[in-house]
Amino acid sequence: MSARFDAIGLVVSDMGASVAFYRRLGFAFPAGAEEQGHAEAELPGGLRLLMDTEEVVRSFHTAWEPPSGGGRASLALRCDSPAEVDSLHEELVASGCRSELKPWDAVWGQRYATVLDPDGNGVDLFAPLDG
């Protein structure tokens, strides 16, 4: 298996406030990130912190609701190919994992799917569509 830990994703209510907070902690978000629906900052070791507004998440996952009592983070695992996203998703679901989003081609150029871990936390599987 070639899936590997690549990013930490957070759903945020207020992008401006979140970018300002993480910048204070030393995260290098690009200029203008506070006005975007999606923002990324590279972390040491090559990982990234990704932030999406609730509106952006609802644009592709229309039934999404903010969890009560916390839990707005997800893990994102990069796969080697779009086909691996499909096969890994299928393998996990066949083994009893719940699927939150079946594999689909995202407008930002990735094959994407989401499964839930045993506690209901989202684990995103993705690969660039261009190989």
Side-chain angles (χ1 to χ4, degrees):
M1 182 168 76
S2 61
R4 59 199 170 278
F5 188 51
D6 184 74
I8 299 164
L10 301 175
V11 179
V12 301
S13 297
D14 181 332
M15 184 63 79
S18 295
V19 167
F21 173 80
Y22 284 102
R23 278 182 176 155
R24 283 193 297 271
L25 295 173
F27 288 79
F29 285 96
E34 57 279 347
E35 299 171 16
Q36 302 299 314
H38 174 83
E40 298 187 15
E42 285 205 17
L43 304 175
L47 293 176
R48 298 171 295 143
L49 177 63
L50 316 176
M51 294 193 302
D52 293 287
T53 62
E54 294 175 355
E55 294 77 23
V56 166
V57 172
R58 283 192 191 100
S59 75
F60 61 86
H61 186 353
T62 57
W64 183 85
E65 291 292 331
S68 59
R72 291 179 159 226
S74 66
L75 300 178
L77 300 177
R78 183 181 179 134
C79 298
D80 284 341
S81 69
E84 186 176 83
V85 171
D86 293 0
S87 64
L88 185 53
H89 178 269
E90 181 178 319
E91 176 186 323
L92 292 168
V93 170
S95 73
C97 291
R98 292 178 289 160
S99 173
E100 187 170 48
L101 290 172
K102 293 179 182 179
W104 58 288
D105 292 342
V107 298
W108 54 85
Q110 294 176 332
R111 184 72 172 163
Y112 222 89
T114 303
V115 295
L116 301 177
D117 75 7
D119 295 305
N121 296 307
V123 178
D124 301 334
L125 309 172
F126 73 95
L129 287 172
D130 61 2

